[in-house]
Amino acid sequence: MKDENIFTKKLDNKYREPALEIDFKEFDKVVRSRRSVRVFKDELISDEDVHKAIDHALLAPNSSNLQPWEFHIVKSSAAKKELAKYCFSQNGARTASHIIVCVAKTNTWKKHCHEMLNSFKKAGEDVPPVVEQYYKKIAPAAYGMMGPFGILSPFKWLLLNTIGLFQVMARGPVWPSDLRTWAVKSCALGCENIMLSLRAQGHDSLPMEGLDEKRVKKMLKLGRHDHIVMAIAAGNRSEDGVYGPQVRFPREWFVHEH
Ligand SMILES: Cc1cc2nc3c(=O)[nH]c(=O)nc-3n(C[C@H](O)[C@H](O)[C@H](O)COP(=O)(O)O)c2cc1C
């Protein structure tokens, strides 16, 4: 192929993974029956079920497979009580069996680049040259080159946009806030997996961004590279736990074909 680059090169390996048969009706049921539950029954769901949901979060697609996330399970009565207070004492938080605080991380990408390369070594395989190039050169250029507190970001912006005048070019992340958006995207996909997994296991959830981020971070000993995406209250829905029918605006407002 003319103009071949790292993104167009096809990995020539022997790995095959056939697509499994899926029961679409069951999937549809899971998606449609997930509701934001504001009051949970006064009963605990098992730690095992919560961990299964977290395992599903860890399987979410994520940028460059750098897994920029962390999930904190809050389950002791004392910790839940404190956390619920920081979630403005919302009923969903106060009555939850477990609360999972989902955190996007902006300081793990370098270590995880090394881990991606290590994963080949651990499997006793050679690192394919495109993969080596990606995690040693492309990813550090994409997610780095900002300097502490973004002092180099203006130069990165200028570089990307100058090259971008002449060719198709990645335009970011440029600023530290872009890196936060980058990590939040992947973490949010993990969050959705948690909520769908809980539903598929017969449980319910409430995503909450209504919280005092500073206090929650202090409670969980999180640092400045940790960004709370949401806390997810988990439990079994109380009879009056869903406040009304699901409301969505007309489909044509949001869906466009080109
Ligand atoms: C990121 C995010 C944050 C949310 N924060 C809260 C919250 O703090 N409290 C709350 O009651 N609901 C919260 N929600 C739930 C939304 O209000 C709810 O998803 C929306 O009204 C649609 O209802 P449904 O989830 O039942 O379809 C949040 C949802 C998302 C995705």
Side-chain angles (χ1 to χ4, degrees):
M1 184 184 193
K2 197 173 159 272
D3 293 335
E4 185 153 70
N5 63 40
I6 189 167
F7 298 104
T8 58
K9 261 186 203 152
K10 196 169 170 298
L11 254 193
D12 185 21
N13 65 6
K14 299 274 172 292
Y15 185 72
R16 297 292 177 269
E17 188 169 313
L20 290 179
E21 291 279 328
I22 299 291
D23 186 337
F24 177 71
K25 271 197 189 141
E26 287 301 303
F27 173 74
D28 193 57
K29 241 163 78 184
V30 169
V31 172
R32 289 182 190 278
S33 65
R34 182 217 55 80
R35 293 300 316 280
S36 289
V37 168
R38 270 54 184 238
V39 188
F40 295 99
K41 276 188 189 161
D42 185 15
E43 59 191 31
L44 294 177
I45 62 178
S46 72
D47 288 347
E48 198 191 337
D49 288 1
V50 172
H51 279 283
K52 272 188 229 160
I54 302 280
D55 287 344
H56 287 141
L58 298 175
L59 291 176
N62 61 89
S63 182
S64 297
N65 207 18
L66 292 175
Q67 304 161 56
W69 49 37
E70 216 167 65
F71 301 93
H72 295 254
I73 304 170
V74 176
K75 61 178 197 172
S76 79
S77 300
K80 270 193 303 183
K81 200 168 168 197
E82 183 180 357
L83 182 55
K85 196 169 82 185
Y86 302 153
C87 295
F88 310 135
S89 300
Q90 300 188 41
N91 289 323
R94 286 195 302 118
T95 58
S97 161
H98 295 65
I99 304 176
I100 303 153
V101 179
C102 308
V103 178
K105 312 260 311 171
T106 45
N107 64 343
T108 52
W109 64 265
K110 258 187 219 165
K111 176 173 168 261
H112 292 185
C113 279
H114 291 300
E115 268 320 302
M116 278 307 295
L117 296 169
N118 271 343
S119 67
F120 285 87
K121 287 178 200 146
K122 280 183 197 157
E125 292 169 20
D126 293 333
V127 185
V130 279
V131 175
E132 182 148 347
Q133 194 192 350
Y134 189 80
Y135 288 107
K136 281 196 172 159
K137 296 219 166 85
I138 306 222
Y143 309 126
M145 285 175 59
M146 293 178 200
F149 301 102
I151 48 168
L152 299 179
S153 292
F155 300 101
K156 184 174 181 183
W157 181 89
L158 196 63
L159 180 71
L160 297 186
N161 283 287
T162 307
I163 299 173
L165 289 173
F166 307 102
Q167 64 177 65
V168 175
M169 192 60 199
R171 307 293 172 146
V174 168
W175 309 94
S177 58
D178 297 342
L179 197 64
R180 189 166 69 223
T181 305
W182 168 80
V184 167
K185 283 191 237 176
S186 292
C187 183
L189 294 177
C191 295
E192 177 68 345
N193 273 12
I194 290 177
M195 293 184 273
L196 294 181
S197 175
L198 286 166
R199 188 77 282 279
Q201 298 180 68
H203 306 305
D204 289 289
S205 61
L206 174 66
M208 296 178 291
E209 61 190 353
L211 48 79
D212 180 334
E213 185 173 8
K214 196 164 182 173
R215 285 195 162 82
V216 177
K217 280 175 78 166
K218 192 167 172 211
M219 174 185 169
L220 300 178
K221 300 186 172 53
L222 301 176
R224 71 181 176 92
H225 300 288
D226 303 325
H227 314 280
I228 297 180
V229 176
M230 67 186 80
I232 299 176
N236 292 328
R237 75 178 73 176
S238 144
E239 213 184 320
D240 55 357
V242 178
Y243 286 174
Q246 199 166 36
V247 176
R248 289 297 186 269
F249 304 132
R251 198 173 188 277
E252 57 272 20
W253 290 11
F254 307 111
V255 183
H256 310 283
E257 289 194 14
H258 300 274

